[in-house]
Amino acid sequence: MNRFREAAKHCLRQEAACVMNLLPSIDEQFDCAVDLILKCTGKVVFTGVGKSGHIGAKIAATLSSTGTPAFFANPLDIYHGDLGVITHDDVVVAISNSGTTDELLRFVPYLVQEKVPLIGMTSNPHSLLAQYSTCCLNLRVTEEACPLKIAPTSSTTATLAMGDALASALIICREFQSRDFARFHPGGSLGRALLTRASEVMHTENLPVISRDWSMNETLLCASEGRLGLCVILDEEQRVEGIITDGDIRRALVSKKEKFVDTLVYEVMTPNPKCISGDMKIAQVLQMLKENKIHAVLVVDDDHHLLGVVDNFSCMI
């Protein structure tokens, strides 16, 4: 086997093992960290040097998007004039695998003096960082996964996983829901699906509308021109009575054979089709389509008059 493949597989095995080794660290210290963040009336300030700083910024972003206001601050900036960004209402999360990073330890005494809660994330529970911390999350990394045992690999993976575990616990504690997530991600596909209404994406022009006594030939032509793969049957009062899809037409063609041209819509249509209000969110529409194994639903008003059609393609916003 190629040496580089073996090195890659070794790295993955090592990092996977590091993540599993974190399970014992979900203990009283973890509970303390969650409690400190839940009680925080300010923001959660993450800090770390180098790769630890990059991971800290990612964890801060995850917390911010799941209901816990957080941001990353470079420890060098903090030490050289930016201490003012940290207040008594905040909680600081300091990340250092060794627990001895000088740039972090320089401003830790200030936190202790000002009684700012400090959560340490380190693999050295006997380090100065761990000793100064209000609570300490043990990353339990003994060596890096890279061939040289030098580059931050296992340590950054373990830190990231611990951050995700912390975020997951806080999501549960805050009873954070998908709709809350959407408020922080209005521009993402999930946010759009959770916030966008059916009325905003439905087809409304040149809808393929027919009556129950149309012939299948007429229906086939209307369905082709409508390009929605269906026709909507309306009654005499213009209320939705049924639906007929491309699949219904094909099945009728097979079953009726030479009698197909004499078949009327009401013999083939599906009565009482799935209908929704224009206020239904796209995420709910997609779930309905999936559960019922259909490709479109009809949007109607309170009197069951047709307003539009929403299909899988219109949900791709």
Side-chain angles (χ1 to χ4, degrees):
M1 183 178 293
N2 293 337
R3 292 177 59 194
F4 64 82
R5 286 190 182 182
E6 187 56 39
K9 291 182 179 181
H10 173 77
C11 176
L12 293 177
R13 293 190 193 100
Q14 287 289 97
E15 294 193 356
C18 283
V19 172
M20 294 305 296
N21 286 341
L22 290 174
L23 290 175
S25 292
I26 309 302
D27 53 13
E28 294 81 5
Q29 292 293 300
F30 184 85
D31 295 344
C32 175
V34 171
D35 187 59
L36 283 175
I37 294 175
L38 286 174
K39 292 179 179 178
C40 177
T41 57
K43 290 181 171 57
V44 182
V45 184
F46 282 81
T47 187
V49 177
K51 307 300 187 296
S52 293
H54 295 308
I55 298 298
K58 187 275 176 188
I59 299 174
T62 299
L63 262 62
S64 291
S65 67
T66 52
T68 300
F71 67 93
F72 174 78
N74 189 305
L76 296 176
D77 294 334
I78 293 175
Y79 186 68
H80 291 286
D82 283 358
L83 270 174
V85 302
I86 301 174
T87 72
H88 296 91
D89 297 324
D90 299 329
V91 171
V92 174
V93 181
I95 303 171
S96 170
N97 188 51
S98 67
T100 59
T101 305
D102 181 62
E103 292 88 343
L104 284 181
L105 296 177
R106 287 181 185 178
F107 70 87
V108 165
Y110 167 83
L111 302 178
V112 175
Q113 177 183 334
E114 298 299 320
K115 297 182 180 180
V116 177
L118 172 63
I119 300 172
M121 295 180 69
T122 178
S123 291
N124 186 355
H126 305 293
S127 63
L128 286 176
L129 175 60
Q131 293 176 35
Y132 279 123
S133 296
T134 310
C135 55
C136 183
L137 303 179
N138 191 348
L139 301 176
R140 300 175 182 272
V141 177
T142 56
E143 66 176 21
E144 300 292 356
C146 86
L148 301 177
K149 311 297 182 185
I150 297 174
T153 44
S154 295
S155 59
T156 48
T157 299
T159 305
L160 182 60
M162 180 61 81
D164 289 341
L166 195 60
S168 297
L170 290 166
I171 288 173
I172 296 299
C173 292
R174 297 188 188 281
E175 298 183 353
F176 196 80
Q177 302 296 320
S178 296
R179 61 179 178 273
D180 302 312
F181 188 86
R183 289 191 297 109
F184 297 111
H185 296 76
S189 59
L190 174 60
R192 291 195 296 273
L194 290 167
L195 295 176
T196 304
R197 295 180 174 86
S199 60
E200 299 176 55
V201 299
M202 65 184 183
H203 299 281
T204 58
E205 297 183 1
N206 301 317
L207 295 176
V209 173
I210 61 177
S211 62
R212 68 195 321 268
D213 57 357
W214 275 38
S215 70
M216 294 307 296
N217 280 345
E218 294 173 305
T219 301
L220 181 58
L221 180 60
C222 182
S224 298
E225 292 177 348
R227 298 183 179 182
L228 293 178
L230 56 83
C231 287
V232 184
I233 297 90
L234 302 183
D235 62 18
E236 295 179 354
E237 297 181 358
Q238 299 300 297
R239 291 193 295 257
V240 173
E241 182 178 5
I243 190 173
I244 186 167
T245 66
D246 284 348
D248 295 328
I249 296 174
R250 287 194 300 272
R251 285 185 288 273
L253 182 60
V254 172
S255 62
K256 303 292 183 180
K257 297 180 181 178
E258 66 275 2
K259 296 181 180 180
F260 176 78
V261 294
D262 298 321
T263 301
L264 300 182
V265 166
Y266 73 86
E267 301 177 59
V268 179
M269 74 178 191
T270 299
N272 303 315
K274 298 294 180 182
C275 296
I276 63 172
S277 73
D279 289 332
M280 179 176 281
K281 301 299 190 296
I282 292 305
Q284 296 172 295
V285 175
L286 287 170
Q287 185 65 27
M288 177 183 288
L289 296 177
K290 180 179 178 181
E291 290 178 352
N292 292 278
K293 297 180 180 179
I294 55 179
H295 80 279
V297 292
L298 309 181
V299 182
V300 298
D301 62 17
D302 293 339
D303 294 320
H304 225 57
H305 293 126
L306 182 66
L307 298 177
V309 176
V310 176
D311 58 12
N312 279 311
F313 292 108
S314 54
C315 289
M316 296 171 63
I317 53 178

